[in-house]
Structures are given as C-alpha cells and as structure tokens.
Amino acid sequence: MEGKLILKQLTPYQQGKQIKDIKEAYGLDRIVKLASNENPYGYSSHVKDYFSNNITDFEIYPDGYTAELRTAIASKLAVNEKQLLFGSGSEEIVQMICRAFLYPGVNTVMPTPTFPQYKHNTLIEGADIKEIPTVDGYHDLEKMLESIDEYTKVVWLCSPNNPTGSSLSKEAIYSFMDRCPKDVLVVLDEAYYEYMDASQDPGAVHRIETYENLVILRTFSKAHGLAGLRIGYAIANEDLITKLDVVRGPFNTTSIAQKAALIALEDSAFIEETKSKNNTVKQDFMQFLDTIEWTYYESQANFLLVNTPISGNEVFQYLIENGFIVRPGEVLGCPNTIRVTLGNEKDMSQLQNLLYAMQQQLSKEI
C-alpha cells in the first residue's frame, strides 16, 4: 500500500541505546543519562504516595475532556477552561497543530536549530519549511518576520530554545506578535518554562485574548518529572482551541497521567526545589567550563549546549565509554558541541572530572 511520498524520505525517531546494552558493551556497572533533559530529582513525592495507595481502574476509558486537571490548571493560570487543550506530551500538540493548519502549498517558519519535531511533522503534512538560523543561540526574530509571506500558516518560537537554552524576552515576543500577520498562527513552546528565572517570564498566558493567533505549549515532562507518563497542554483563545480539538484523539491522555499531573501541579515546593538545585549545578558547571576554556550558550533551561574542541561525536563516545550519556551536537544541527542535561551534584562532579581529564589529554596532543 502506497502512503505519502514524504514518508519514504523521513526516518522514524531513533531512540538511543538502552542503558542495559551500554553496560554490557563497555563493561560498566553504572550509567548516568544526561541526554534527554529529564529531571534528575525525579518527581513529586506526593505522586508516589498517591499511587502507592491507590490503583486506577485500567478497564475504564480515561476522561477525554481531562476535566479535573483542566479545572486545576485553569484556576492556576487564571484562564477559561475552554482555553486549554491536552496532549500526550506537548509533542502530540505539535502534531495536532501541523495536522490542523499545514498542507501542501503553504509554509511554516522556524528557527534552526530548534526542537526537531516541528520540522518532522511539517514534512509529513507536505508543507514547505523556512528555517532561519539562530544568532548566538537566539531566534533571529527580524529575519523570521521578513520570511513570512502570504502562504505562511505557522511560526514556531521555542523559549527556552532546545537545544541552545536561550529564551525570548517579553519585549521581543510582544514586538513580534504586534507585527506578525493576524492570520498566521504563532506557537510559543514553553516546555522548559518552570526552569526560567522569574525575570525572564514573558507572561504570555495573559495575552492570549490580545493575540488571537497565539498558542502556548507547556508540559509535565521536564521540571515536573513525569516524562514517562506523557502529558502536556496548550493555552490559547477558545476559538483556536476548538479548531485544534477537532484533530485530537478522543482518549489521548491516560487516567494515570491526568491524576499524576494534577498532584504534581499542586506541589509547588518540589518545582522550587528542582529549580534551585538546577541553578546551583548550572552555575558550578559553567564555572568549571570556564576553567577548561570550553565555551557554552546562555541557558534558561536544565541543560547547556557546550562548544567542544573536537567533534561532539568524539566527546560523546569518550563519555559513553566512561558511563555518561550526553547528546552530541551533530544530531542536533550543532557540530562540535554536546548538549548536557544538568544532573545532580554528584553526577556533575564526576562528569567534570572526565571532561577535565579529556581536556588535559587534548592539550598534550597539541
């Protein structure tokens, strides 16, 4: 059976080697994964306590409207319940947006490098892509605006951006929105929102009525530590949410994910602790990188994109042989870099020792 021609040109998402396989391959007892921007501190203990004493009825379909979590988020964000849409991670909502608004003959604008699923799902729908290179890791908003034409349907803004970690200022976002054509959908992906400094919060949620073409994405996968349960959400005006809801599967988030997200949402202390620990580790890691003279991108997230004196693939291989998994920049569109998820203090100290030893060896070879 023939499908879309583009499917022959694309490849499925390639998951990295499993930890068990890596241990066997290199004779290791322990692996530290710093490649997927997961929360090294786990998730709210309240979630664990609840599911230790309560069992979900697996034979019953989940609430397709996500009512209980919807009410809680609407209250927390001071928005209307009908201004929310839920997905299996915010990644599924990216897919919904592409399915609803993109098709052959139209185009979408995005920075590069950025989250690859914007491009992947655009290509599946047959739309054209305009990629605008970032400048020092930051979106070039002026060139993105200039690239918008009568066929542009969607613009993607990722803040903090993955993989560079840079965030867009409130002034920059609003200036962009004021000048962007009103018939062009602007997606502001805030997957790492909880990690941002309070001073960097653009407060975009409070502008969804002002900007009717704005949709904001958030997730429970990162700071909340619920990546394995897959749940995220979108915030936009009611009309836009209704359009997106048409392409949503009727039971796309599970009962367990909904309940865990509800409990996690209420544990603000866990988020504050996670953010504080992340900032402490980040500052320490940046100081270390300064001492070995490896530069890095400014980051408002829980990872750093680090420039490496040799290829990112070589650094990746050296680290994986020593029990640490990072993300080589070559697969992210950033040659000679590695993206390092900020782990806990102990793991980061061990990582620094490995990188220091590597730098010492490289210095001898010069």
Side-chain angles (χ1 to χ4, degrees):
M1 181 181 293
E2 290 293 325
K4 294 181 178 180
L5 292 178
I6 189 64
L7 298 183
K8 296 181 179 181
Q9 304 171 35
L10 298 176
T11 58
Y13 176 78
Q14 297 296 317
Q15 180 173 297
K17 290 184 178 180
Q18 295 299 297
I19 289 177
K20 177 178 178 293
D21 297 331
I22 296 172
K23 285 182 178 180
E24 292 177 354
Y26 299 108
L28 299 168
D29 296 323
R30 180 173 178 266
I31 296 292
V32 178
K33 185 183 176 189
L34 302 176
S36 300
N37 304 335
E38 295 150 333
N39 189 339
Y41 311 109
Y43 52 88
S44 168
S45 61
H46 300 315
V47 174
K48 184 176 183 180
D49 291 343
Y50 176 83
F51 285 106
S52 295
N53 298 295
N54 296 274
I55 299 177
T56 299
D57 295 324
F58 295 124
E59 76 280 9
I60 304 298
Y61 280 108
D63 174 10
Y65 188 65
T66 323
E68 194 174 7
L69 179 60
R70 179 185 298 272
T71 298
I73 292 179
S75 176
K76 186 178 181 68
L77 299 182
V79 298
N80 188 293
E81 292 185 13
K82 293 183 179 180
Q83 294 174 326
L84 296 171
L85 177 75
F86 293 87
S88 177
S90 55
E91 184 176 345
E92 188 192 20
I93 303 177
V94 170
Q95 185 182 56
M96 292 182 202
I97 290 168
C98 292
R99 185 177 298 169
F101 295 103
L102 299 180
Y103 48 88
V106 303
N107 67 65
T108 181
V109 177
M110 64 188 68
T112 184
T114 194
F115 185 49
Q117 291 305 104
Y118 308 150
K119 182 175 182 178
H120 183 82
N121 285 292
T122 294
L123 291 172
I124 289 174
E125 299 305 328
D128 295 324
I129 298 171
K130 295 185 178 183
E131 294 182 287
I132 309 302
T134 57
V135 179
D136 296 325
Y138 288 85
H139 293 44
D140 189 338
L141 293 179
E142 292 303 316
K143 287 190 176 179
M144 290 180 72
L145 274 172
E146 292 171 6
S147 69
I148 295 173
D149 61 26
E150 60 184 308
Y151 301 106
T152 303
K153 294 296 182 182
V154 181
V155 175
W156 305 90
L157 306 179
C158 188
S159 181
N161 187 37
N162 180 11
T164 64
S166 60
S167 64
L168 295 167
S169 69
K170 174 171 62 177
E171 294 75 18
I173 292 173
Y174 296 159
S175 174
F176 183 92
M177 293 301 304
D178 288 338
R179 292 179 290 162
C180 182
K182 305 308 177 187
D183 61 344
V184 174
L185 178 65
V186 178
V187 182
L188 177 60
D189 189 343
E190 294 187 330
Y192 299 92
Y193 171 80
E194 288 83 3
Y195 286 106
M196 295 174 63
D197 293 339
S199 62
Q200 298 294 312
D201 183 359
V205 168
H206 306 300
R207 298 293 188 97
I208 58 175
E209 293 295 349
T210 302
Y211 301 119
E212 296 185 355
N213 57 329
L214 174 66
V215 58
I216 301 163
L217 307 185
R218 292 189 183 171
T219 183
F220 285 91
S221 295
K222 302 305 180 182
H224 290 284
L226 300 180
L229 293 181
R230 315 304 302 127
I231 186 161
Y233 59 100
I235 315 146
N237 72 78
E238 185 177 340
D239 180 62
L240 185 50
I241 290 295
T242 299
K243 291 177 180 176
L244 289 173
D245 205 20
V246 171
V247 299
R248 179 184 65 82
F251 303 108
N252 63 323
T253 62
T254 67
S255 300
I256 292 179
Q258 291 179 29
K259 188 62 178 181
L262 177 65
I263 297 169
L265 183 71
E266 297 171 348
D267 193 355
S268 57
F270 173 78
I271 293 298
E272 289 304 315
E273 183 180 12
T274 286
K275 182 176 178 179
S276 176
K277 288 179 178 179
N278 181 77
N279 287 339
T280 298
V281 168
K282 180 164 59 176
Q283 291 300 319
D284 183 68
F285 189 44
M286 290 191 297
Q287 290 175 12
F288 163 75
L289 292 171
D290 290 340
T291 65
I292 63 172
E293 299 183 343
W294 287 21
T295 58
Y296 47 87
Y297 290 78
E298 183 178 354
S299 175
Q300 284 287 322
N302 67 330
F303 58 84
L304 282 181
L305 186 65
V306 181
N307 293 305
T308 53
I310 54 178
S311 80
N313 283 329
E314 290 179 87
V315 179
F316 163 80
Q317 187 61 36
Y318 163 75
L319 290 176
I320 201 171
E321 290 175 8
N322 286 277
F324 280 78
I325 309 174
V326 298
R327 192 76 163 151
E330 278 72 9
V331 301
L332 302 170
C334 306
N336 299 324
T337 67
I338 53 172
R339 191 191 66 193
V340 181
T341 302
L342 298 168
N344 62 44
E345 188 174 347
K346 178 182 177 181
D347 290 340
M348 293 302 291
S349 177
Q350 293 176 355
L351 175 68
Q352 291 176 25
N353 290 338
L354 288 171
L355 293 178
Y356 180 78
M358 181 180 212
Q359 178 56 36
Q360 292 295 101
Q361 184 61 39
L362 290 173
S363 299
K364 292 178 182 178
E365 295 174 358
I366 295 177

